Amino acid sequence: MHPQTTNLGSASVHCKRSSVLDTLRANFGTYTSDITHASQCLIDAERDAQRCDDEIQKLQAEIISLRNRQQSIYRRIDRYRSLLAPIRKLPPEVLGRIFRLICTKNFASASEIDCPAVHLSHVCVGWRDLARTTPSLWSRISIDLFYPQQDLFRVKSMLITCLALSNPSPIFLHLTMSEVDVDAKFVLQSIMHHCARWAEVCLNMTTSHFSQLSPIKGKLPLLQSLKIRTGNIFDEVEVLDIPESLDCFSLAPRLRAVAIGYIDDTTDISTLPWGQISDLKLHFFTSLNSALDVLRLATQARSVTLSLCTLLDPSNIAQNFTHSLNSLSIILDIDDVSDPFRCFQMWTMPQLNCLHLSIRELHRVSRDTCNFDELHSFVQRSGCVITTLSLINLGLDGVEIIALLQCLTSLADLTLHEHRDDVRNLSLTSSFLQKMTVNHRASSSTHFLPHLKKIDFRIHFPSSILLVSMVQSRWIPDDIDAAEIGVDCLDVVKIHVFISGDPPIDQILRPLLAMKPRGLQCTVSFDKLG
């Protein structure tokens, strides 16, 4: 019998299949007579099997090589796709503007480092080059050493990096320091070295630190805004030492905005360039006389904010005070039984056109101690034309609001916020909203607030239903109709509704959303009460 041959790739298998099978099936199959031949057949078969295995290994190696080559091609595909990604279609100047929106503050303290400019530079080589060559990304620096620790290496490292890479961009600086040590001196000296680039500066420091600022006098060509010990007016801030003088800022030709807090009669602020200050903020003044003394210095101030200041001084309440400011904002902190509005008895502001009055959310006005009639008398005595009025958390009732607004015929922008802790609407009552609703058939001389174009109301539900009707009556997009009726079209509406449970979105939003495609700028939000 001839051996059979089977081709497997380049290997040949030679087997005497029938003879081997016949021998295994024979009765004497337990005995192999031709051992030499069987051994050789086994060797040949094992050799053929090894050849097959070698061929399989060769093919597998080739498959692995092909797969690796495929992965390399995929990697090249990813790179080509990356080159065509939308982000790479942005010109560097556009991407740089996006970076500037992110890098609003590079913050460093003893316990935390948050530097968005550094984060951006870690994304890729291209972003790193763009970030490091865009000085404005590094120019907003905030250093807080109020609670310093022993090792401030990271703080100093971030400061050095920001100062170096921000050059020659103007610097926007916020600096808080309490202790006088080597690290604090290093930080202060490093920042003072770049004082010629200061544009906006907020300093919260001790007297000993202020005394080291004398070298910057006359070296502030870009300084536009100065804040001294302001802090967050809605948080408790620990009082540090009071600086003796602010003479180091006396020569700043571009300085226009000044904010001062925790300053009393012991600090000489007369050397500030008051003749050029147009925006003034006073925080935490404990004496009305002290605040008025500053206002007398700031003769050119047009926007003034008094936040959490004591506005009552019984010994001098009869003293008259006149100022030509245009905008006055008062943030009250009601901690005693005195009337915070008695100050309006002595004030006359003929140029005033914007008035903002608010009380902290945590406090309430006592109806027994506050005389809101002073606001009405103040407006009439001043003869001012107020176009913007904001009353937040004051708790005036609807009758008082109407009496006040009736003399503000030129009012175009009105903000009224109910206190969230009130169980009902005190100011935005049904009668008030009905008073504001325009009767299109009535005489033009009888309309209430005919020039109102913008409202911002915070109201308790369910009176917001009447509010929607009022908005609809004042939305008159046709100029001819508006002129004939004698009421300006309401263009901007912002409504914040206090509500318990799920907000009735369809009931509130649908009528207002129907007017948005026609041009009404409307925003409605909800706040669930606990």
Side-chain angles (χ1 to χ4, degrees):
M1 181 178 294
H2 297 286
Q4 296 181 0
T5 302
T6 302
N7 291 328
L8 296 174
S10 60
S12 298
V13 179
H14 303 275
C15 303
K16 296 180 180 180
R17 295 180 181 177
S18 58
S19 61
V20 174
L21 186 59
D22 292 343
T23 303
L24 291 174
R25 289 178 176 177
N27 292 335
F28 51 90
T30 57
Y31 172 72
T32 302
S33 59
D34 194 351
I35 295 177
T36 302
H37 179 68
S39 298
Q40 185 60 45
C41 288
L42 175 61
I43 293 172
D44 292 342
E46 290 177 342
R47 184 182 298 110
D48 290 340
Q50 182 62 43
R51 290 173 181 162
C52 290
D53 186 66
D54 293 342
E55 187 69 20
I56 290 172
Q57 295 295 330
K58 180 180 178 181
L59 293 175
Q60 286 181 341
E62 196 165 328
I63 290 174
I64 292 173
S65 177
L66 288 173
R67 286 176 176 171
N68 289 338
R69 182 182 175 188
Q70 183 187 49
Q71 293 301 317
S72 177
I73 295 173
Y74 280 148
R75 184 168 61 254
R76 194 162 66 250
I77 290 173
D78 291 340
R79 291 172 179 172
Y80 290 144
R81 286 177 175 171
S82 178
L83 289 174
L84 298 176
I87 189 65
R88 293 185 180 274
K89 297 178 182 179
L90 294 177
E93 56 272 17
V94 175
L95 189 59
R97 292 193 63 178
I98 297 175
F99 285 0
R100 284 192 287 273
L101 295 176
I102 298 174
C103 300
T104 57
K105 180 175 68 173
N106 298 298
F107 174 78
S109 68
S111 59
E112 180 185 2
I113 301 290
D114 184 12
C115 188
V118 171
H119 300 330
L120 290 173
S121 65
H122 287 173
V123 173
C124 63
V125 174
W127 283 29
R128 179 163 56 252
D129 292 341
L130 180 59
R132 293 179 66 88
T133 55
T134 307
S136 59
L137 303 184
W138 308 86
S139 63
R140 299 184 180 273
I141 306 171
S142 179
I143 306 292
D144 186 354
L145 301 183
F146 195 86
Y147 300 106
Q149 296 177 348
Q150 293 297 323
D151 185 10
L152 295 178
F153 173 78
R154 296 179 63 202
V155 174
K156 293 187 287 187
S157 177
M158 192 207 81
L159 176 61
I160 293 173
T161 300
C162 288
L163 290 176
L165 295 181
S166 65
N167 194 29
S169 179
I171 293 177
F172 302 83
L173 174 66
H174 191 293
L175 180 61
T176 299
M177 295 191 299
S178 59
E179 297 182 5
V180 181
D181 55 20
V182 176
D183 291 320
K185 290 182 178 179
F186 173 83
V187 170
L188 189 58
Q189 291 296 327
S190 299
I191 293 174
M192 288 171 55
H193 184 68
H194 295 266
C195 65
R197 294 196 287 127
W198 290 3
E200 294 183 8
V201 176
C202 178
L203 301 177
N204 189 13
M205 306 187 304
T206 63
T207 299
S208 56
H209 288 122
F210 271 103
S211 63
Q212 301 178 44
L213 293 178
S214 56
I216 70 173
K217 183 176 179 179
K219 301 177 181 178
L220 303 171
L222 302 181
L223 185 62
Q224 300 177 9
S225 174
L226 174 64
K227 298 180 182 180
I228 303 294
R229 307 182 48 73
T230 55
N232 189 334
I233 62 176
F234 294 109
D235 292 333
E236 295 298 330
V237 182
E238 183 176 344
V239 180
L240 300 177
D241 297 336
I242 304 299
E244 297 178 357
S245 174
L246 299 179
D247 181 63
C248 55
F249 298 102
S250 60
L251 300 177
R254 295 190 181 183
L255 186 60
R256 298 294 183 271
V258 171
I260 305 176
Y262 292 123
I263 303 295
D264 59 15
D265 295 337
T266 63
T267 302
D268 180 15
I269 61 174
S270 62
T271 56
L272 287 176
W274 292 110
Q276 63 192 47
I277 304 301
S278 59
D279 187 339
L280 176 64
K281 294 180 175 62
L282 305 180
H283 304 318
F284 303 101
F285 273 58
T286 58
S287 168
L288 178 59
N289 278 338
S290 298
L292 294 183
D293 288 342
V294 178
L295 289 177
R296 291 188 182 97
L297 291 173
T299 56
Q300 300 303 313
R302 294 297 173 259
S303 176
V304 174
T305 298
L306 305 176
S307 64
L308 309 184
C309 297
T310 300
L311 300 180
L312 179 63
D313 192 343
S315 63
N316 294 281
I317 196 65
Q319 182 181 0
N320 294 326
F321 175 77
T322 301
H323 202 287
S324 58
L325 57 86
N326 302 129
S327 175
L328 174 63
S329 300
I330 299 179
I331 302 172
L332 298 170
D333 185 1
I334 309 301
D335 286 330
D336 51 39
V337 296
S338 60
D339 182 1
F341 299 105
R342 287 184 62 189
C343 59
F344 285 99
Q345 291 181 4
M346 51 184 284
W347 288 354
T348 301
M349 299 176 180
Q351 302 300 322
L352 185 68
N353 54 50
C354 297
L355 178 61
H356 306 273
L357 303 176
S358 64
I359 293 178
R360 297 179 67 184
E361 197 79 19
L362 299 177
H363 294 82
R364 306 286 292 276
V365 173
S366 174
R367 303 291 304 175
D368 298 330
T369 60
C370 295
N371 183 9
F372 296 109
D373 292 338
E374 299 298 342
L375 294 176
H376 184 274
S377 301
F378 161 73
V379 173
Q380 289 188 326
R381 180 177 63 256
S382 297
C384 52
V385 179
I386 294 182
T387 58
T388 301
L389 177 66
S390 176
L391 306 175
I392 298 177
N393 295 331
L394 294 187
L396 283 76
D397 62 36
V399 176
E400 291 172 321
I401 290 287
I402 293 175
L404 175 62
L405 296 182
Q406 278 180 334
C407 66
L408 305 181
T409 57
S410 300
L411 192 66
D413 186 343
L414 175 61
T415 297
L416 288 176
H417 285 189
E418 298 282 1
H419 199 292
R420 65 176 296 112
D421 292 339
D422 290 328
V423 295
R424 61 186 179 87
N425 294 311
L426 299 180
S427 302
L428 296 167
T429 60
S430 299
S431 59
F432 172 73
L433 294 176
Q434 290 173 355
K435 180 70 174 178
M436 287 195 62
T437 302
V438 174
N439 182 355
H440 289 212
R441 295 185 178 181
S443 171
S444 60
S445 61
T446 63
H447 293 315
F448 185 64
L449 300 179
H451 300 294
L452 192 63
K453 296 182 178 181
K454 179 179 179 181
I455 62 172
D456 181 349
F457 287 173
R458 190 170 68 175
I459 188 171
H460 290 273
F461 187 78
S463 293
S464 50
I465 303 299
L466 294 175
L467 178 58
V468 172
S469 299
M470 182 274 292
V471 172
Q472 291 175 331
S473 73
R474 286 183 168 270
W475 183 60
I476 313 173
D478 188 281
D479 294 338
I480 298 178
D481 288 346
E484 183 177 345
I485 297 172
V487 176
D488 290 343
C489 179
L490 192 63
D491 296 325
V492 181
V493 175
K494 182 177 180 180
I495 304 173
H496 187 87
V497 184
F498 290 126
I499 193 169
S500 299
D502 295 330
I505 297 179
D506 289 344
Q507 186 178 9
I508 298 296
L509 288 179
R510 187 169 295 172
L512 298 179
L513 291 177
M515 295 182 284
K516 292 186 68 174
R518 294 286 303 277
L520 178 67
Q521 300 180 40
C522 181
T523 302
V524 178
S525 58
F526 297 91
D527 187 358
K528 286 188 177 182
L529 301 177

